Amino acid sequence: MGKVKREKWSNEFSEWYNELLETAGIIDKRYPVKGMNVWLPYGLKIMRNIEAFIRAEMNRTGHEEVLFPALIPETEFQKEAEHIKGFEDEVYWVTHAGLDPLDVRLILRPTSETAMYSMFSLWIRSHADLPFKVYQIVNVYRYETKHTRPLIRVREISRFFEAHTAHVDFEDAERQIKEDLEIFDRLAKFLALPYIISKRPDWDKFPGAFYSLGAEIMMPDGRTLQIGTMHNYKQNFAKAYNIQYETETGDHEFVHQTTFGMSERLLAAVIAVHGDDSGMVLPPTIAPIQVVIVPIPKKDASVDVFAYAREIAEELRKAGFRVHVDERDIRPGRKYYDWELKGVPLRIEVGPRDVEGRKAVLARRDTFEKIPVERDAIVEEVKKTLDAIHENLYNRAKGFLESHIKRVDTIEEAKAVFEDRRGIVEIPWCGDEECGLKMEEELDAKMLGTPYPEEKAKAPEGKKCPVCGREAKFIARFARTY
Ligand SMILES: [Zn+2]
């Protein structure tokens, strides 16, 4: 029986990650535009399974899917001042049609606020149109100047999820943020990903937002990865794009707006958080193949292991599982290696003795544990074992996250954490931007923000801001981030 090894995974994470994306068939990064990658069939299948869950959640909560053009006129893009400032450095411009310069230059969307909101102002007329909830999953483009990394920091985000909503007032927009958090929580459980939510400091909120929330997970090297954001815009964009509705009393009011964003970083998180030195370990919920059956033929055996494997596969398919029988003419060990790399959660091995004795052996990808089962109990045992794998992945990741969050009182203690095993450091903070930025500089880390919901953000009584020495109002979280 193998043992779970996570040495390379934790000590040489970057190398581990880059190699695995290729060897497991997720993406090919040899495409000749920096920061833009090709999705391979296996990677795309996993991503589609994640998207199917998101779409179902959007339907469940009354969002409608839309599809906007990728090009936005410069004139629309420039309507919200903060927003342009936040994105102008990183947009791609379309300046020519053929050989002729365009009258109005176009940008390739870095996100779709400025594409959507001039249309919202045409569509939203009365309070009866509200709440208005739409979403799309599209490509967006950002000229990243930092080091690019597949699925994590790319110049073409190819699976960008964005939900946009409009509401009668601030309270209803706040209800939407709560709903987003609930959807995110269900998605995170579906992916077996434990996470934390922080309210971003003012200097790091989304350009044009009233406030921003970010969801982070813990990567194997102790850095955090943002995998979801929710923003309350108040009426900032509504005023810039003239999105008004008629109230019940006949007055005209600007709508309140929110957005909720995610991307293929969800897949990066799944790969990173659950993996080990043998490759990926996929949660059964999104694995394109949940069970792989490996027949182990022996010379001169009088029974047909292939027929037996196919028969088991058929029964499992009927019960709703995604199953593959590996009938390639190569050694079983090689097959195990391939499927372990690709993270198939459960393998079933069948040899001549299993056929004779009406048995099989289950091999768990997460623990490498082998479980002998009776042929007649296979469907039930597979279901039970896949559930157990999902639960184990979640609990292991939760333990890892929790062991990487440390509360300290001083900058020195915080520095020690970053030198040691990294992770997230929670420090008392007076709430002033100056002190926050000072801590970022001293720690060479980013302030993720304050814990959310806000009840959790208050500093315990008597705690002092380590920069200015005044009474701390908040707990601030710092981390080295992707
Ligand atoms: Zn301070």
Side-chain angles (χ1 to χ4, degrees):
M1 189 167 93
K3 231 182 106 209
V4 178
K5 256 181 66 182
R6 291 183 120 182
E7 278 161 33
K8 186 161 185 183
W9 174 83
S10 84
N11 299 328
E12 295 162 68
F13 170 69
S14 267
E15 209 187 315
W16 176 91
Y17 178 76
N18 282 330
E19 263 176 36
L20 187 56
L21 289 180
E22 246 174 79
T23 52
I26 305 300
I27 55 121
D28 193 326
K29 47 182 192 298
R30 291 172 297 178
Y31 189 73
V33 178
K34 187 174 161 8
M36 299 189 186
N37 306 302
V38 182
W39 284 81
L40 297 173
Y42 191 66
L44 194 54
K45 276 182 194 145
I46 307 171
M47 196 62 217
R48 294 287 188 221
N49 288 340
I50 298 175
E51 283 171 29
F53 185 87
I54 295 173
R55 282 204 164 85
E57 282 297 295
M58 287 289 106
N59 289 338
R60 181 182 70 80
T61 50
H63 292 74
E64 299 267 23
E65 186 168 11
V66 291
L67 194 49
F68 271 72
L71 294 174
I72 304 171
E74 182 173 18
T75 43
E76 290 304 318
F77 178 61
Q78 285 177 339
K79 283 184 179 168
E80 212 287 329
E82 288 285 313
H83 192 74
I84 323 165
K85 254 203 300 182
F87 282 104
E88 65 185 353
D89 289 353
E90 54 183 79
V91 293
Y92 285 92
W93 288 97
V94 176
T95 59
H96 284 71
L99 298 175
D100 302 322
L102 293 171
D103 292 338
V104 178
R105 300 192 298 168
L106 305 168
I107 63 158
L108 265 175
R109 64 180 159 217
T111 170
S112 300
E113 280 74 6
T114 62
M116 288 184 171
Y117 297 168
S118 57
M119 299 307 292
F120 283 19
S121 79
L122 302 174
W123 294 342
I124 296 169
R125 286 274 155 251
S126 109
H127 61 89
D129 298 327
L130 302 172
F132 178 82
K133 300 159 80 167
V134 296
Y135 76 99
Q136 63 180 10
I137 304 179
V138 294
N139 311 41
V140 300
Y141 300 84
R142 297 178 185 175
Y143 183 74
E144 289 284 354
T145 48
K146 287 189 200 163
H147 181 67
T148 59
R149 197 183 294 272
L151 310 182
I152 291 177
R153 187 169 295 281
V154 284
R155 290 179 176 173
E156 179 184 56
I157 302 171
S158 35
R159 309 309 305 150
F160 185 64
F161 161 88
E162 48 180 334
H164 295 255
T165 67
H167 305 267
V168 289
D169 54 19
F170 183 73
E171 283 64 42
D172 203 54
E174 287 290 275
R175 268 194 288 281
Q176 185 57 48
I177 297 284
K178 283 210 175 71
E179 183 178 88
D180 296 344
L181 288 165
E182 183 201 306
I183 293 168
F184 185 82
D185 188 63
R186 288 164 60 96
L187 174 64
K189 294 220 164 76
F190 179 73
L191 302 175
L193 290 176
Y195 64 95
I196 55 159
I197 300 277
S198 307
K199 187 173 187 175
R200 295 278 183 259
D202 271 349
W203 64 87
D204 193 35
K205 63 189 185 185
F206 183 80
F210 171 57
Y211 73 78
S212 294
L213 303 179
E216 259 87 21
I217 56 107
M218 182 58 59
M219 297 289 265
D221 59 358
R223 287 162 79 181
T224 57
L225 179 70
Q226 172 187 296
I227 55 167
T229 54
M230 300 93 188
H231 313 286
N232 189 329
Y233 293 161
K234 267 191 154 175
Q235 295 172 309
N236 296 349
F237 283 95
K239 284 176 181 162
Y241 289 84
N242 194 30
I243 312 172
Q244 294 192 47
Y245 70 97
E246 193 176 317
T247 65
E248 280 176 66
T249 54
D251 294 330
H252 285 84
E253 288 276 358
F254 289 107
V255 297
H256 283 252
Q257 288 175 276
T258 78
T259 56
F260 174 15
M262 296 184 288
S263 72
E264 60 257 40
R265 278 186 168 198
L266 291 166
L267 176 56
V270 165
I271 293 170
V273 168
H274 300 311
D276 63 26
D277 288 358
S278 302
M280 298 201 296
V281 185
L282 291 174
T285 46
I286 56 165
I289 299 170
Q290 295 168 310
V291 182
V292 64
I293 307 181
V294 179
I296 308 167
K298 287 228 166 59
K299 263 190 198 147
D300 308 324
S302 58
V303 290
D304 184 350
V305 287
F306 292 98
Y308 186 70
R310 281 179 222 132
E311 177 197 307
I312 294 173
E314 209 34 52
E315 195 179 318
L316 286 169
R317 279 189 200 112
K318 276 198 191 118
F321 297 104
R322 299 187 285 273
V323 188
H324 175 70
V325 182
D326 188 349
E327 300 196 27
R328 289 178 298 169
D329 188 17
I330 53 173
R331 298 174 61 83
R334 174 71 203 286
K335 295 182 183 179
Y336 298 172
Y337 176 88
D338 286 350
W339 299 116
E340 282 171 7
L341 198 59
K342 284 181 175 292
V344 173
L346 194 60
R347 180 174 77 227
I348 301 181
E349 302 165 7
V350 291
R353 282 190 163 181
D354 295 305
V355 182
E356 280 156 11
R358 304 281 298 163
K359 291 180 191 313
V361 175
L362 309 187
R364 281 175 67 152
R365 174 62 185 87
D366 60 333
T367 57
F368 295 108
E369 185 189 354
K370 290 204 178 190
I371 309 157
V373 293
E374 298 294 327
R375 169 71 184 83
D376 294 338
I378 278 189
V379 169
E380 195 187 321
E381 287 298 324
V382 163
K383 185 181 181 332
K384 222 170 66 186
T385 311
L386 289 176
D387 288 348
I389 291 170
H390 195 90
E391 201 184 324
N392 178 48
L393 291 180
Y394 180 79
N395 289 335
R396 179 170 69 171
K398 192 161 190 280
F400 188 80
L401 172 66
E402 283 168 359
S403 69
H404 282 77
I405 301 177
K406 185 127 201 260
R407 197 163 275 203
V408 302
D409 289 329
T410 67
I411 301 282
E412 284 63 39
E413 287 174 278
K415 277 184 180 162
V417 172
F418 285 123
E419 270 159 35
D420 179 18
R421 60 189 169 150
R422 301 198 183 176
I424 297 161
V425 176
E426 298 184 333
I427 312 177
W429 176 43
C430 63
D432 277 11
E433 179 164 337
E434 207 180 311
C435 291
L437 291 173
K438 180 92 186 142
M439 286 196 260
E440 283 194 338
E441 195 193 313
E442 293 248 338
L443 298 173
D444 187 23
K446 217 171 101 108
M447 188 194 282
L448 301 176
T450 51
Y452 192 87
E454 268 151 353
E455 306 90 82
K456 293 188 188 166
K458 281 202 187 81
E461 207 140 329
K463 293 286 181 190
K464 301 272 186 274
C465 172
V467 178
C468 65
R470 285 177 297 170
E471 190 166 341
K473 293 193 188 113
F474 306 102
I475 290 296
R477 289 175 173 151
F478 292 83
R480 306 252 165 98
T481 64
Y482 273 97

